[in-house]
Amino acid sequence: MRFRSLSALALAVAASPALADEGMWQPHQLPELESVLKQKGLEIDPKNISKLTEFPMNAVISLGGCTASFVSPKGLVVTNHHCAYGSIQYNSSADNNILENGFLAKKPEQELPAAPGSRVYVTEQVTNVTDKVNAQLNDDMDGNTRYKAIEKAEKSLVAECEKDVGYRCNVYTFHGGLEYYLIKALEIKDVRLVYNPAMGIGKYGGDIDNWMWPRHTGDYSFYRAYVSKDGQPAEYSEDNVPFTPDSYLKVSAKGVKEGDFVMVTGYPGRTNRYRTASEVAHQFTHVYPTAKAYREQSIDIIKAQAPEGSQARIAYESTLAGLANYAKNYGGMIDSYQNTDMQARKDALAQKLATWIKADSARQSRYGDTLTQLNKLVKQSQATSELDLILGYMGRSAMLSSAQRLYRLANEKQLPDAEREPGYQQRDQARFEARMTSLSRRYDDTVDSAILAHFIDLYAQLPQAHRIASLDKALGIDKGYDSEAMRQRIDSWYAKTELNEQQARIDWMNKSVSEFKQSDDPFLAIAVATYDDMRSREKAKKALSGELAKVRPQYMAAIIAFYQEQGLPVYADANSTLRVTYGTVKGYSPKDALTYTPFTTLEGIAQKYTGEAPFDAPKKQMQLIADKQYGEYQMSSLGSVPVNFLSTVDTTGGNSGSPTLNGKAELVGLLFDGVSESIIGDWDYDPNLNRSIHVDTRYMLWVMEHVDNADNLLAEMDIVR
């Protein structure tokens, strides 16, 4: 079944009031939703939203994990504080802690280089390349051959696309391989930190309030994009000039009210709404509980080894924030799963789908034993999940992972560039080096060694048959395990390694396989000793992925046809590509007798204030609130300045920093979170509980004007008053 028929399907079902706000739509689908969007409150032409080179879509950009947008003709970029967190942390020290105190560049020369590897991506072209990928495939291929054929086709498409200097291209899979799209984006490499509020604003409420409502977080920060004098992307240079975007967003000082239409454009990371019942059960009963525990253990280790205020703690603040965010996310997922009938509905769907296929000979012929094959492959993929999780968290050791990546690079360099593993090609070298460089500001020997020791302990508890023989030998546990002896061995590795030096890591990027084999660096020795076994595991996983790449599209074709008959919405799962979602400003009722209104105010900040993190708003701000100094940003119906608001837009991770637009495509907020009851939205949509949280532009502008005196930036932006 061809996906191009889904746009008409989307139109048919999106008009249903109960389903109206569900869906992360590809831009080219929006014109076919025109009647719904107009009815909701969109004032601009929906066709404009489908054109990536026109306003407002060309003002929306990706940071490679978060979303952002241009808000001035001088390349000024606004995103979430937590999206700029790594760059803020990178530029912080115990003597100049801008993470804690905030930062404002009053002049261009005061702007700070963002963390190494920071990028701004401006999507310019999306091309359906399904036919070009499928032309390389046939039904007789085994899994490994199919995987390689798909990868080869994608590499070829990317290489051709990137002949245009300054662009980053990628092929993305939609509907499990039913379609492939080539995305071409301008890659701006010189990104600078311009302004971030103090921690007591940008992360007010911290982990306590994360995923919660009511919320009072000023989750915003500003970057600026720079290019060479000829307008081309270039690495950092003092001679570079601000990038001039084709368009930028006007910032609304009028904001929104309850019931208003809002639209979010951004790059949502990943959803899994079409996964099978067995995949759902495994994820929620094994993967999420285990990953949550591992993250919480990692947090405890870091905090124990890096006291508050120390340079080590500053180095790991961004890591801690990420660990805590997803630990709480997983907890919310598990709670929702256990307290709803989601699994029962997924089980019922599986049964209904099987019955539907068997009820028609044409469907039986077309989809055959797709469900049986898929469930068999899924079960195979789950068999190694316990080891996979432990190895993944063991790989959070910067020394071990750096050694493994460096040795992999040396091996890949022996191959022609087109045959190398993605991530190790010539196009990836700048990113690779940036990763080796940025580690210097995000690393501490004591913390790293403690993390590694903890996960080696967990690894050693696995049955020997489930472990990797070469890794056991390299760790010195093949003859038995003693935790204290292991700890002493690890300490000796960190005392001897040279990979904790930035220049040493950079130098190893250019060394040969034979030089690695001759090295006596303990971490490089582990990487060399385990390389063959790790590649064998990887090859087996690729072969399985290849088999899934044949069956999953068949499953999705069946799902799409079945949903069409049921009148249910069908849209591609999120996959980090540009999407549009729409809804209204609206509160919700998470439980009996409890109703949340959609706005919070400055007074809520004061009610939560304790003077200690994470409720330690700046004293100047607290005085302004006490004096009711609202300026022009007061919302009359609230009698105060709105801080955060709720809406029904359908979003997920990766949407962080996404511009929230009104019907005129003016910036009225920045999406930064969801409520705990909607976390499970990555897997299951509930219109009654799905709510996203946005920082109100009126609060952002109020802080900039009255707290931080960011007059230079206010003057630069086009503010609709």
Side-chain angles (χ1 to χ4, degrees):
M1 178 178 180
R2 298 312 303 262
F3 175 65
R4 60 174 62 100
S5 65
L6 291 185
S7 293
L9 169 61
L11 177 61
V13 300
S16 168
L19 301 171
D21 297 341
E22 179 180 356
M24 302 176 192
W25 306 100
Q26 293 169 263
H28 72 258
Q29 295 177 290
L30 272 296
E32 297 178 55
L33 296 169
E34 180 172 1
S35 61
V36 176
L37 293 169
K38 290 289 188 181
Q39 182 182 4
K40 283 280 187 178
L42 181 68
E43 297 181 45
I44 65 172
D45 188 342
K47 294 183 178 63
N48 290 352
I49 310 173
S50 70
K51 298 175 182 177
L52 302 179
T53 57
E54 294 187 14
F55 176 85
M57 300 307 288
N58 58 358
V60 182
I61 55 182
S62 171
L63 301 178
C66 279
T67 305
S69 52
F70 290 118
V71 286
S72 93
K74 298 179 181 178
L76 189 66
V77 170
V78 67
T79 188
N80 284 156
H81 179 270
H82 77 260
C83 292
Y85 206 82
S87 291
I88 302 168
Q89 174 266 318
Y90 182 81
N91 284 286
S92 291
S93 66
D95 295 330
N96 183 28
N97 193 343
I98 67 171
L99 193 60
E100 186 71 29
N101 303 321
F103 168 76
L104 172 64
K106 282 284 192 179
K107 301 177 181 178
E109 56 267 25
Q110 296 174 338
E111 296 172 0
L112 301 172
S118 297
R119 296 287 188 268
V120 162
Y121 298 99
V122 186
T123 299
E124 293 191 359
Q125 189 175 2
V126 178
T127 307
N128 189 325
V129 293
T130 308
D131 291 344
K132 293 182 179 180
V133 175
N134 285 343
Q136 309 304 314
L137 309 177
N138 64 67
D139 291 340
D140 295 329
M141 289 178 166
D142 62 21
N144 189 54
T145 305
R146 177 174 287 268
Y147 184 94
K148 288 181 177 179
I150 293 172
E151 184 179 79
K152 183 178 180 181
E154 291 177 345
K155 285 179 179 177
S156 177
L157 290 163
V158 166
E160 182 64 27
C161 179
E162 290 185 353
K163 287 181 179 179
D164 287 348
V165 179
Y167 287 88
R168 185 81 178 181
C169 304
N170 290 287
V171 176
Y172 291 88
T173 304
F174 291 74
H175 288 294
L178 201 57
E179 278 206 335
Y180 296 87
Y181 280 81
L182 175 68
I183 314 291
K184 182 179 182 179
L186 186 71
E187 181 182 21
I188 298 175
K189 302 177 181 180
D190 186 351
V191 183
R192 305 183 194 180
L193 182 65
V194 177
Y195 163 54
N196 64 272
M199 183 88 85
I201 293 174
K203 201 181 176 184
Y204 193 75
D207 297 331
I208 295 173
D209 274 4
N210 194 18
W211 302 103
M212 304 300 289
W213 187 261
R215 197 74 175 272
H216 302 84
T217 310
D219 201 345
Y220 72 89
S221 289
F222 286 82
Y223 281 133
R224 194 183 304 279
Y226 280 81
V227 291
S228 64
K229 289 182 179 179
D230 61 1
Q232 297 302 308
E235 297 290 350
Y236 174 87
S237 170
E238 292 183 359
D239 295 329
N240 286 349
V241 297
F243 174 70
T244 303
D246 290 333
S247 69
Y248 60 92
L249 301 177
K250 294 181 179 180
V251 182
S252 175
K254 297 186 292 184
V256 288
K257 63 182 183 302
E258 186 171 6
D260 278 358
F261 168 85
V262 286
M263 175 176 65
V264 164
T265 57
Y267 293 82
R270 187 161 299 280
T271 55
N272 305 281
R273 292 181 183 171
Y274 303 106
R275 292 297 180 177
T276 66
S278 63
E279 287 176 296
V280 171
H282 181 72
Q283 191 73 20
F284 283 88
T285 61
H286 174 68
V287 176
Y288 282 148
T290 306
K292 178 177 182 289
Y294 287 172
R295 284 178 174 270
E296 290 170 341
Q297 291 161 16
S298 298
I299 290 169
D300 291 342
I301 291 168
I302 293 171
K303 289 184 175 180
Q305 301 296 327
E308 288 239 26
S310 67
Q311 188 61 48
R313 175 60 71 88
I314 292 172
Y316 280 87
E317 283 290 1
S318 182
T319 301
L320 282 170
L323 289 168
N325 182 49
Y326 275 95
K328 195 165 187 177
N329 177 296
Y330 296 161
M333 291 266 201
I334 296 165
D335 288 345
S336 293
Y337 176 80
Q338 293 175 342
N339 295 316
T340 66
D341 64 345
M342 186 179 86
Q343 186 63 55
R345 286 186 288 107
K346 293 291 185 181
D347 291 338
L349 172 62
Q351 185 59 50
K352 289 177 182 177
L353 182 62
T355 301
W356 178 80
I357 291 173
K358 292 178 181 178
D360 181 85
S361 59
R363 293 196 291 262
Q364 180 66 32
S365 175
R366 184 170 186 180
Y367 305 122
D369 59 350
T370 297
L371 300 184
T372 301
Q373 291 179 17
L374 181 57
N375 286 329
K376 179 181 177 181
L377 293 171
V378 165
K379 188 174 181 179
Q380 289 180 33
S381 70
Q382 295 169 351
T384 61
S385 63
E386 187 173 19
L387 175 60
D388 294 337
L389 278 167
I390 289 180
L391 290 179
Y393 280 84
M394 191 187 299
R396 288 176 175 269
S397 157
M399 291 299 93
L400 181 59
S401 61
S402 293
Q404 291 170 330
R405 290 189 179 97
L406 287 165
Y407 187 54
R408 179 69 178 271
L409 178 63
N411 279 273
E412 294 292 339
K413 280 187 172 182
Q414 297 181 120
L415 302 172
D417 191 62
E419 296 178 19
R420 295 183 195 174
E421 181 74 11
Y424 295 90
Q425 293 180 279
Q426 190 58 43
R427 66 193 290 264
D428 304 307
Q429 294 308 293
R431 284 185 173 187
F432 196 104
E433 183 171 343
R435 185 168 190 160
M436 293 295 128
T437 301
S438 62
L439 175 61
S440 300
R441 306 269 186 100
R442 298 175 179 173
Y443 169 80
D444 177 82
D445 273 351
T446 303
V447 174
D448 202 67
S449 62
I451 290 172
L452 180 58
H454 177 75
F455 286 104
I456 289 177
D457 275 346
L458 293 180
Y459 169 77
Q461 293 171 30
L462 293 174
Q464 192 165 12
H466 294 177
R467 303 203 304 259
I468 302 168
S470 61
L471 181 57
D472 283 6
K473 186 174 181 180
L475 296 176
I477 64 173
D478 51 322
K479 303 277 197 264
Y481 186 72
D482 181 289
S483 180
E484 183 57 36
M486 186 75 248
R487 180 70 228 210
Q488 293 175 8
R489 196 176 304 129
I490 291 172
D491 287 343
S492 72
W493 295 345
Y494 280 84
K496 188 176 182 181
T497 188
E498 62 175 352
L499 294 183
N500 51 17
E501 297 293 334
Q502 178 177 308
Q503 190 56 51
R505 294 191 298 274
I506 303 301
D507 290 344
W508 276 104
M509 286 182 61
N510 299 304
K511 294 191 178 183
S512 66
V513 169
S514 62
E515 287 176 294
F516 274 85
K517 290 181 176 180
Q518 294 167 15
S519 172
D520 61 357
D521 186 290
F523 290 105
L524 295 180
I526 294 172
V528 171
T530 60
Y531 185 78
D532 289 342
D533 278 348
M534 293 299 187
R535 296 293 72 74
S536 293
R537 293 187 80 247
E538 182 181 286
K539 184 177 180 180
K541 288 182 177 296
K542 286 181 176 180
L544 184 57
S545 294
E547 296 290 350
L548 284 165
K550 180 180 179 180
V551 179
R552 186 84 70 179
Q554 297 171 3
Y555 170 74
M556 284 308 304
I559 281 282
I560 290 167
F562 176 71
Y563 274 31
Q564 184 173 10
E565 283 197 9
Q566 305 301 311
L568 298 172
V570 182
Y571 44 85
D573 264 322
N575 61 354
S576 298
T577 60
L578 188 58
R579 304 294 180 92
V580 180
T581 179
Y582 57 86
T584 56
V585 177
K586 186 179 181 180
Y588 75 114
S589 179
K591 58 183 69 174
D592 184 46
L594 179 63
T595 299
Y596 284 131
T597 56
F599 288 94
T600 58
T601 65
L602 293 181
E603 281 63 34
I605 295 174
Q607 290 169 7
K608 290 181 177 179
Y609 180 79
T610 64
E612 297 182 359
F615 300 104
D616 55 345
K619 292 181 179 179
K620 181 179 180 180
Q621 183 183 40
M622 294 305 299
Q623 188 60 54
L624 288 166
I625 296 172
D627 294 341
K628 298 186 181 298
Q629 295 296 311
Y630 303 141
E632 63 177 296
Y633 305 109
Q634 179 176 349
M635 185 175 176
S636 57
S637 61
L638 294 177
S640 184
V641 177
V643 176
N644 296 151
F645 67 89
L646 294 171
S647 84
T648 62
V649 295
D650 189 2
T651 59
T652 188
N655 271 125
S656 290
S658 292
T660 307
L661 309 176
N662 61 15
K664 297 178 181 178
E666 297 167 341
L667 186 73
V668 295
L670 295 176
L671 186 139
F672 72 94
D673 208 354
V675 298
S676 60
E677 295 85 2
S678 70
I679 289 176
I680 205 166
D682 283 1
W683 296 80
D684 185 52
Y685 183 85
D686 184 341
N688 296 314
L689 298 176
N690 184 79
R691 295 295 182 272
S692 294
I693 306 175
H694 316 250
V695 57
D696 198 299
T697 49
R698 288 166 290 193
Y699 178 58
M700 181 180 78
L701 294 171
W702 180 82
V703 173
M704 293 176 72
E705 180 176 338
H706 295 282
V707 180
D708 289 337
N709 302 316
D711 301 330
N712 56 316
L713 300 184
L714 293 171
E716 183 178 334
M717 294 187 292
D718 192 345
I719 300 175
V720 180
R721 300 184 186 277

